[in-house]
Amino acid sequence: MSTEAPYTVADLCTAAADGDLDAIKAILAAAPELINVHRAENDEHCALHYAVLANQPEAVRALMAAGADHRSGIYPHRDATTAAVIASERGLDQIVRIICDEDERRQLAACKNITISEDNDALFAAVQDGRDDQALAIIQRSPELLDACHRNGGSVAHAAASRGRHRLLLELLQRGADITHLTPEGQSPLDGAALNIRQRNAPPNEGCLLSAGILLQAGCPHSPEAAVALGDLEFVRSHAHKHPQRFQSNDRDRDGLLQVAIASDHVEMVRLLLDLGLDPDDRHQLLQYESRPYSWGEPLAWAAGNGQYACAELLLERGADPNASIYASGNPVSAAYNNADERMKGLLFRHGGILDPITAGLEGETSAAAVALHNDPSLAAELLWAAGCGGDPNIVGMCLRQLDWSPQDERWFNLLEQPLRLWRTNPHRKFRDFDRAVYPEIFRMILERGVDPNLAGRFGYRLAHRLAACGVVWNEPIMSEAERVAFATILLEHGADLNVVDELLQSSPLGWAARWGRYDLARLYLEQGADPILAGEEWATPLAWAEKKSNTDIADLIMRYL
């Protein structure tokens, strides 16, 4: 008997694009888990994207009713490619209404306390921004909002605790706020406080710590995750006695508890969790992909990247893999390099860790990269990718000598993208003081190899497009506009064509510059001959983007060329 699934995500995407409601319903009845699965690991289109792009309102309605995520975007420009944004920017008003109506229905169904009103939105905005007095003034004016929940299902007390607004939290408690109400995900206000005390690459949030203490004294309920974060060994032991399955890893789902304990540097909690049965590698599958790839090693990587030697040694003694593969996020050894931690590197090497070629390239370990390349010349493309990210011209140069690809080989595109990432200056890096000038140099080195500057990347965009959208990581701008223009100038010097249209946004590079508000880049493109009206669709002209995005300076600039 065949064990193959009756349908694939490709089947669902085809049905969505065709507006075939019978097929959509049949596929989701047999395989409901496909609703938010990506088309492929290198293509994050989901079925809802296909329905929107094909302007199939009833297919959108059916998919939304089945739980489609309209906020999921497509790498590498996720902010511009959610189903809701695509529909809005293309003027698909009927689809926008369907998505908004279903979104509001979900919100209201998620929690009986959800209130959708201008006052409630203003209240939660004030909490988020730390405007305690304004938040209290709104509650004073509308006391029914004291226990109202935001659109996401969290109460005012939960929002205040999660952001460390401990003074506001005290005021809310004195006014009788309900601290037993849980979010739709099952979080209490104490969970919100405890799980936000320590955030990546940031000092402990003292406000969250104080909020956790306030809520503990007030008797607020909390989850095992919060107990782990707070180091409450007795709570965890008691919970494990009643719910032993919570502490048994299953090789499919991410546990996450070890990561919470390590983030809090609770060595004895880590020991207890391992004793209870958790996998030291927290090996799990990524269910958003049909191939369900594995990822493992997060606990050790967290310890290795934060100088938590006791936790790291304990994990290694219990069998954690120092060469684990965290999906698209390195490994424990690379985490130690990110922290420039020689002691941690030594610990990992003693337990079998190795400096792999990718990490050598990313971290500028030129000697190690040279040895790896000498022993295996087939590593040239991998090492060049890594060194382009890591900003090492010497490794780039030695790798370029090994590659005999034609100038039109599409593999060059991915390598040319890497310097644009300014990877060593990104917010995930512990030490970001790096010579940024090497990145344009590397970009020029690859182009001077004779590479075609007009190669197309995924969904038909060119490097001239990409330059308008890149340079922001975790909502932090990491590329200056002067750097953006410098990269673009190098690209144009090597013959980049500005009068081309991508497949997804149906826009020229100038259109992308107008959409993302890159005035200096738009000016350069226009000066270099960019067609001011070129687009694949009427809604995607450069002027249309500038007007939609209220980039009036760019709109005025374009008008001068019409």
Side-chain angles (χ1 to χ4, degrees):
M1 182 176 177
S2 174
T3 58
E4 287 188 15
Y7 297 106
T8 67
V9 68
D11 297 326
L12 183 59
C13 291
T14 298
D18 292 343
D20 188 339
L21 298 184
D22 290 339
I24 290 171
K25 291 173 184 176
I27 292 168
L28 291 176
E33 70 279 2
L34 294 178
I35 187 63
N36 289 314
V37 171
H38 300 163
R39 181 71 184 255
E41 287 184 52
N42 64 349
D43 180 357
E44 295 183 354
H45 281 82
C46 297
L48 185 60
H49 289 111
Y50 282 89
V52 172
L53 289 167
N55 194 12
Q56 297 285 2
E58 294 311 311
V60 170
R61 193 187 308 278
L63 293 166
M64 287 294 293
D69 181 3
H70 65 83
R71 295 184 176 88
S72 176
I74 302 165
Y75 180 84
H77 308 116
R78 293 190 179 106
D79 62 329
T81 53
T82 69
V85 169
I86 290 171
S88 174
E89 292 184 345
R90 294 184 178 214
L92 305 177
D93 296 340
Q94 184 181 1
I95 287 178
V96 171
R97 284 195 300 274
I98 290 169
I99 290 174
C100 290
D101 288 349
E102 175 60 21
D103 192 44
E104 184 168 316
R105 188 200 66 76
R106 289 179 190 176
Q107 291 166 358
L108 292 172
C111 170
K112 63 181 178 62
N113 288 1
I114 286 179
T115 301
I116 297 178
S117 69
E118 289 186 9
D119 268 357
N120 203 38
D121 288 344
L123 170 60
F124 280 87
V127 175
Q128 179 173 330
D129 296 342
R131 293 178 277 115
D132 294 0
D133 290 343
Q134 289 185 34
L136 291 170
I138 294 170
I139 291 173
Q140 184 71 29
R141 184 172 68 246
S142 304
E144 72 277 6
L145 295 181
L146 178 64
D147 288 325
C149 288
H150 190 247
R151 297 169 187 267
N152 65 10
S155 66
V156 184
H158 181 274
S162 299
R163 291 168 175 77
R165 316 289 189 219
H166 58 97
R167 294 185 181 86
L168 175 59
L169 180 64
L170 275 173
E171 288 282 350
L172 296 173
L173 265 61
Q174 289 169 5
R175 295 173 188 229
D178 180 7
I179 57 173
T180 66
H181 186 74
L182 306 181
T183 68
E185 296 76 30
Q187 272 200 2
S188 72
L190 179 49
D191 294 325
L195 296 175
N196 283 289
I197 292 171
R198 291 172 178 83
Q199 306 231 353
R200 185 172 185 169
N201 289 0
N205 185 319
E206 293 185 5
C208 284
L209 189 59
L210 290 168
S211 296
I214 291 167
L215 291 163
L216 277 170
Q217 286 189 333
C220 182
H222 59 288
S223 65
E225 287 79 6
V228 169
L230 296 170
D232 190 341
L233 297 167
E234 289 309 310
F235 181 100
V236 173
R237 289 191 184 99
S238 174
H239 192 82
H241 180 73
K242 297 173 186 174
H243 308 282
Q245 71 282 357
R246 175 64 184 86
F247 301 89
Q248 301 300 312
S249 300
N250 62 19
D251 205 42
R252 174 184 181 274
D253 300 310
R254 182 178 182 274
D255 298 314
L257 287 178
L258 279 170
Q259 290 87 313
V260 173
I262 291 164
S264 303
D265 205 16
H266 289 309
V267 180
E268 291 309 310
M269 182 61 75
V270 173
R271 191 185 310 279
L272 173 60
L273 294 173
L274 293 170
D275 289 344
L276 290 171
L278 288 185
D279 175 8
D281 284 325
D282 195 2
R283 182 180 172 90
H284 59 279
Q285 292 178 290
L286 301 181
L287 304 180
Q288 66 268 39
Y289 301 113
E290 196 168 29
S291 59
R292 297 192 172 187
Y294 279 99
S295 180
W296 71 101
E298 283 182 31
L300 182 56
W302 189 283
N306 290 281
Q308 293 167 289
Y309 307 105
C311 287
E313 190 156 15
L314 176 57
L315 288 166
L316 288 163
E317 289 171 354
R318 296 296 186 93
D321 182 358
N323 302 307
S325 177
I326 305 160
Y327 190 85
S329 298
N331 55 52
V333 172
S334 67
Y337 270 85
N338 182 30
N339 203 30
D341 190 337
E342 295 300 323
R343 179 182 168 190
M344 185 64 75
K345 293 178 199 175
L347 175 63
L348 294 171
F349 292 148
R350 289 198 304 274
H351 284 81
I354 61 170
L355 175 61
D356 64 283
I358 292 294
T359 301
L362 287 170
E363 299 296 339
E365 292 288 339
T366 311
S367 298
V371 170
L373 188 61
H374 175 78
N375 291 334
D376 185 359
S378 70
L379 291 172
E382 274 186 273
L383 271 170
L384 179 51
W385 177 94
C389 267
D392 191 311
N394 293 320
I395 299 176
V396 169
M398 69 174 77
C399 292
L400 284 172
R401 293 171 63 87
Q402 297 289 334
L403 296 179
D404 59 358
W405 302 344
S406 76
Q408 286 75 38
D409 193 311
E410 62 185 16
R411 290 174 291 179
W412 285 116
F413 186 91
N414 187 32
L415 300 180
L416 277 166
E417 279 190 300
Q418 302 317 308
L420 307 184
R421 295 171 65 185
L422 304 177
W423 187 81
R424 291 283 280 268
T425 71
N426 283 199
H428 76 283
R429 300 290 296 176
K430 284 288 185 71
F431 303 99
R432 301 167 67 181
D433 184 14
F434 185 75
D435 180 11
R436 306 163 67 95
V438 301
Y439 285 111
E441 176 189 347
I442 290 171
F443 190 61
R444 186 186 294 276
M445 286 174 67
I446 300 173
L447 285 168
E448 288 183 350
R449 174 68 169 69
V451 176
D452 184 351
N454 297 306
L455 292 170
R458 62 183 79 195
F459 320 126
Y461 69 79
R462 274 58 165 196
L463 290 164
H465 289 97
R466 180 80 173 114
L467 274 167
C470 66
V472 178
V473 179
W474 298 352
N475 294 320
E476 178 185 327
I478 52 104
M479 179 184 286
S480 71
E481 295 314 299
E483 287 173 321
R484 195 180 307 278
V485 168
F487 278 116
T489 300
I490 294 169
L491 190 64
L492 290 165
E493 287 172 356
H494 287 81
D497 184 357
L498 295 175
N499 295 318
V500 287
V501 172
D502 75 289
E503 298 164 9
L504 196 54
L505 297 186
Q506 292 290 301
S507 301
S508 67
L510 176 60
W512 279 45
R515 187 201 182 281
W516 269 275
R518 311 299 186 193
Y519 180 88
D520 292 342
L521 188 64
R523 182 173 59 188
L524 175 66
Y525 284 173
L526 285 163
E527 289 172 349
Q528 295 298 315
D531 185 336
I533 62 171
L534 179 66
E537 297 286 349
E538 188 176 344
W539 50 263
T541 66
L543 185 58
W545 281 123
E547 291 175 345
K548 270 186 282 202
K549 295 298 180 179
S550 299
N551 294 323
T552 54
D553 54 346
I554 297 179
D556 291 342
L557 174 67
I558 292 168
M559 291 291 288
R560 296 203 292 271
Y561 283 80
L562 294 178

